[in-house]
Amino acid sequence: MPSLPAGGRPIASPGSLHPSWSRVRKQVDEALLAFVDRQRPGLLAISDDLGPLLSALDALLAGGKRLRPAFCYWGWRAAGGGVDDPAIVHAAASLELLQASALIHDDVMDSSDTRRGQPSVHRRFEALHRAQGWPGAAVPFGSGTAILLGDLCLAWSSEMFETCGLDEERRRRGRSVYDLMRTEVMCGQYLDMLEGTRGRATVDTALRVVEFKSAKYTVERPLHLGAALAGADPRVTAALTGYGLPLGIAFQLRDDVLGVFGDPAETGKPAGDDLREGKRTVLVALALERASRAQAAALERRLGDPELDRPGVDEARTIIEETGGLAACEAMIDGYLDEVGRALAAAPVAEEARDALAELAIAATARRT
């Protein structure tokens, strides 16, 4: 059975998670859908025309791995929080509304056609515009609607957190983490967009984007949020950073690999979509650092080409492999997972939390290519 490289602890297969998380994940799903259902009458009382917004959100929320709520919940448990408190489930579930906001906006900025195996929100509303035969351009209507739905999800994430059922003192401790998390991910998103616009990125600048757009947002801050809500000892918070930050980086590096080499049935996006979007990932930076002049020129021609076809994707993949960029990225993932294993082995947390966090680390970084 696979294990964390430095942890020496045999754990379940990459597709499984700690048994108690299966129960909590079901509760997260129920809490999330119940919250949206409570909002539904208010929106429809404004106008039945808001029905398509709710349908688009329902479709988006039906997918996803629920990683951020998982890390929030186990941050809570690592800090001594109770097992069966429904309030932490509601607080953790609010992170899925924050994630929905980020995904909707990200797809607009990247001009992505799909998300989780279905049309992205802005494409969905472009299609509605065309199907209704409305005057004017469909593209700005789709983008504008998606921006508004993303903003609504951002507002609702705060509302769901504030009404989770935890007392004011606990929410006060968590609120500062939540606020920082939102600030960091927006700054990281801008840095990501900036690197793509400049058309150049080093491994160091790409890693800076990874840290703030993904690593902190996906793993470290959700852990900190749960721990803060439980009133964590500073030593626990520090240990969660030692585990969470390298895991978050490894998670994003794996996502970068999947963005080029992944199976669309697993990723929910067309093969090579990151190449079409011109993403200046660590994987791409590693390949360009090692490429010959001819290889670099060939790869640069394919980056950001929205019409890139399957042969073009295959050629880019070949360059990334032949330069050693893919192998170097896999070695970085392994190195960060070594850090994760060492940090988790030394963390002052309960054994059940340690086991669950080890399993989450595998689930977040498993190969699916």
Side-chain angles (χ1 to χ4, degrees), residues 59-60 63 113-120 264-270:
L60 182 62
D113 294 331
T114 60
R115 172 65 65 178
R116 293 175 175 170
Q118 59 189 343
S120 52
E266 292 282 350
T267 64
K269 303 194 80 173

Side-chain angles (χ1 to χ4, degrees), residues 9-294:
R9 180 179 299 278
I11 62 174
S13 64
S16 67
L17 289 176
H18 196 276
S20 66
W21 172 243
S22 298
R23 171 178 54 82
V24 175
R25 175 172 177 159
K26 182 175 182 291
Q27 293 172 350
V28 165
D29 288 344
E30 290 170 351
L32 183 64
L33 297 178
F35 177 86
V36 175
D37 281 343
R38 288 195 296 274
Q39 305 294 327
R40 199 178 305 274
L43 264 67
L44 295 178
I46 296 171
S47 172
D48 288 341
D49 286 335
L50 294 171
L53 277 178
L54 288 164
S55 296
L57 181 57
D58 288 340
L60 182 62
L61 292 178
K65 304 178 186 69
R66 308 294 193 246
L67 282 176
R68 291 158 193 84
F71 286 117
C72 181
Y73 175 78
W74 286 109
W76 161 273
R77 293 290 304 281
V83 177
D84 293 317
D85 190 336
I88 184 58
V89 173
H90 283 73
S94 74
L95 294 176
E96 283 298 302
L97 288 169
L98 177 59
Q99 171 68 350
S101 172
L103 293 178
I104 293 167
H105 286 166
D106 193 51
D107 286 343
V108 172
M109 286 182 277
D110 290 343
S111 298
S112 297
D113 294 331
T114 60
R115 172 65 65 178
R116 293 175 175 170
Q118 59 189 343
S120 52
V121 169
H122 64 287
R123 298 297 189 220
R124 186 183 181 112
F125 282 94
E126 286 175 25
L128 175 64
H129 186 287
R130 295 186 182 103
Q132 295 297 320
W134 292 332
V139 171
F141 174 76
S143 298
T145 303
I147 290 168
L148 291 171
L149 182 57
D151 289 348
L152 183 62
C153 289
L154 181 62
W156 280 357
S157 70
S158 180
E159 182 179 343
M160 189 173 188
F161 174 77
E162 294 295 345
T163 59
C164 68
L166 291 169
D167 63 62
E168 170 57 28
E169 176 56 25
R170 289 186 186 275
R171 296 199 321 277
R172 183 193 64 77
R173 290 196 299 261
R175 197 175 294 129
S176 61
V177 179
Y178 215 137
D179 290 345
L180 178 59
M181 178 181 179
R182 287 182 288 220
T183 297
E184 287 173 340
V185 72
M186 291 177 191
C187 291
Q189 180 67 62
Y190 171 75
L191 293 174
D192 186 31
M193 189 169 62
L194 182 64
E195 293 297 333
T197 300
R198 285 172 170 166
R200 54 181 171 81
T202 65
V203 172
D204 286 344
T205 60
L207 279 171
R208 181 182 64 175
V209 172
V210 165
E211 179 176 351
F212 287 97
K213 183 184 175 183
S214 185
K216 288 180 174 292
Y217 167 67
T218 301
V219 185
E220 185 192 21
R221 297 308 183 203
L223 286 166
H224 285 177
L225 177 60
L229 293 172
D233 182 295
R235 294 177 306 143
V236 173
T237 303
L240 292 176
T241 289
Y243 159 90
L245 193 55
L247 177 57
I249 296 172
F251 166 81
Q252 185 56 51
L253 295 183
R254 171 60 62 217
D255 199 58
D256 291 348
V257 172
L258 293 173
V260 175
F261 294 93
D263 179 353
E266 292 282 350
T267 64
K269 303 194 80 173
D273 227 30
D274 280 5
L275 297 170
R276 293 183 191 90
E277 293 168 11
K279 288 188 177 292
R280 297 286 167 164
T281 63
V282 172
L283 175 66
V284 167
L286 286 167
L288 288 173
E289 272 190 357
R290 291 160 169 75
S292 66
R293 184 173 299 179

